Amino acid sequence: MTTLLSVNLNAIAQLRNRRDVPWPSVVGMGRIALASGAHGLTVHPRPDERHIRFTDVPELSKLINEEFPSAEFNIEGYPTDSFLELVESVRPKQVTLVPDEPAQSTSDHGWDFQANHNLLSSVVARLSKSGMRTALFANANPADIPWALDTGCDRLELYTGPYGSAHGNPVVLQHELDLLAATAQAATDAGLALNAGHDLNVDNLPALIEHIPELAEVSIGHGLTADALIYGMDATVKRFLRACG
């Protein structure tokens, strides 16, 4: 299967927010990414709106619906009332629930599925009733799979931060890769589809996909945006698409 590429626009929005001006345009960069072959866009509107603003979400939804109807819109976030009302107002194809505290600079761990079972089961049921696919952010831990499955979610998004940060240590990198593969196998055996994200780039993507051939989608922001500063968004998206196979 082909692993789909969703371009995370958070870093673009964070750059825009450094000044009281409308550039770089989040919608404009999203349009370039989709026109260059990306399969979708991802955003993570946090409560303090330090990068993606809540007002960006309907604008990006309109971009996809009117210009790229086959593309996917993936909205990530912690399931506060305001977040759930936002996603229900635009109904993206996928909602990825993450266990972020408001002060976190970025997502850095998956859910404790056992401790948050009632919350996640309730939210998954609510979103599924509205026709949205649900994905839950997950650590690389095969033992978590039964609890994750019991929430009723459609997919897991494997947190690949430890794998990405091990780039200078081949032994640790291989350990993290093996752990991700074992978790993916357990999830696949349980009938869950798989996404992945965090600190992925054109160098570490091929090995990840080789070890997890059933990987449906990767969401990439920081590494892709960094490369876009060098190569431009169009060429960068194409480089990442090649890395996805």
Side-chain angles (χ1 to χ4, degrees), residues 141-223:
N141 182 3
D144 283 345
I145 299 305
W147 283 100
L149 178 67
D150 200 50
T151 65
C153 68
D154 301 298
R155 295 186 180 186
L156 297 182
E157 179 174 337
L158 296 174
Y159 170 53
T160 54
Y163 170 62
S165 64
H167 57 86
N169 189 325
V171 174
V172 175
L173 189 146
Q174 188 61 52
H175 168 77
E176 296 296 340
L177 191 56
D178 291 342
L179 191 56
L180 285 163
T183 306
Q185 187 61 59
T188 300
D189 291 345
L192 290 170
L194 290 165
N195 300 336
H198 213 84
D199 291 338
L200 296 175
N201 55 47
V202 293
D203 295 320
N204 61 26
L205 259 177
L208 181 70
I209 293 171
E210 180 181 356
H211 282 71
I212 310 177
E214 60 271 44
L215 193 58
E217 173 186 302
V218 289
S219 172
I220 306 177
H222 183 84

Side-chain angles (χ1 to χ4, degrees), residues 45-65:
R46 286 183 164 86
D48 62 5
E49 298 186 291
R50 62 181 177 269
H51 38 64
I52 290 295
R53 298 168 181 159
F54 275 43
T55 54
D56 292 324
V57 173
E59 293 180 359
L60 289 166
S61 179
K62 181 180 179 182
L63 168 70
I64 290 174
N65 291 339

Side-chain angles (χ1 to χ4, degrees), residues 17-31:
N17 292 354
R18 293 183 69 247
R19 296 286 188 272
D20 187 22
V21 294
W23 60 83
S25 166
V26 174
V27 171
M29 295 300 284
R31 180 181 287 111

